[in-house]
Amino acid sequence: MLNHINPIEQIFVREDNTFYKELKTIIKQAELVSIEIFSKNNQEFNGIQLLQCTISEFNVAVNSNIIDFSNNDKSYEIQRQKIVENEDDEIKVKHKIINLTYEHEQLATVIEKQFLNWWEKKVKKIIHSKYGGLDNANNLCQFARQLRNSFGHSKINITINIQNQPIWKNINLIDYNSRNIFEVVSFADIINFWIEFERIELGVEI
């Protein structure tokens, strides 16, 4: 991926993982956006999506050619690599930077919808039952809850008093109230959050 220091971790997302369908949708949409971008520049897209983290420690690579959308019996793979210091500076030196504001907004809309679907249909009831109410859930669950609310309101909007604050990776969303959520977290962070949440809160290995 980007550095030759840290090993590449392979993540196999299977149908029994709660965010399985949501992640597939995001990856496919990201591919369509990239194909459009490359075609405008008369270049061929190689299928690899590299998503940089902001607050988490892993950059994430996805590839719809590796992730088989046609067969639900197969494992679905993403790859992650722990970042190294000054990695962003090296990227800027080695690669051309393109303004993708419009494309970013397109994909952000997809991610928001899929995260909302994941929280409301897959895990909200589980967390409610596990902790005897959402207000009693731990910092990680509160972070997920506030991500969901942020996507629903298009900004971080914390108006409730909760026992545990929405903290993940030493970031407390209360400190960023009224900010656009994507000023705080990146697309890679969302995927890394899903992976960690699945392992810690739901006990499902990936």
Side-chain angles (χ1 to χ4, degrees), residues 129-140:
S129 176
K130 180 178 179 179
Y131 289 97
L134 294 177
D135 289 349
N136 301 324
N138 64 14
N139 302 104
L140 187 65

Side-chain angles (χ1 to χ4, degrees), residues 44-101:
E44 185 177 351
F45 175 54
N46 66 3
I48 299 172
Q49 290 282 338
L50 180 60
L51 307 175
Q52 285 184 263
C53 61
T54 301
I55 66 173
S56 54
E57 63 272 25
F58 288 93
N59 284 328
V60 177
V62 297
N63 187 338
S64 65
N65 294 324
I66 296 175
I67 300 177
D68 188 340
F69 291 90
S70 63
N71 189 336
N72 291 337
D73 295 328
K74 288 187 177 180
S75 296
Y76 293 79
E77 182 186 71
I78 65 176
Q79 293 182 333
R80 305 193 304 171
Q81 187 181 48
K82 195 169 186 178
I83 60 174
V84 297
E85 189 176 354
N86 298 323
E87 191 168 281
D88 284 346
D89 294 335
E90 293 179 18
I91 293 171
K92 291 176 182 177
V93 170
K94 294 180 181 178
H95 301 279
K96 180 181 178 181
I97 306 299
I98 302 174
N99 188 336
L100 300 178
T101 301

Side-chain angles (χ1 to χ4, degrees), residues 143 158 165-177:
F143 196 95
I158 302 174
Q165 296 187 341
I167 300 173
W168 181 58
K169 303 300 179 187
N170 297 318
I171 295 295
N172 188 337
L173 291 182
I174 290 177
D175 297 333
Y176 298 87
N177 209 15

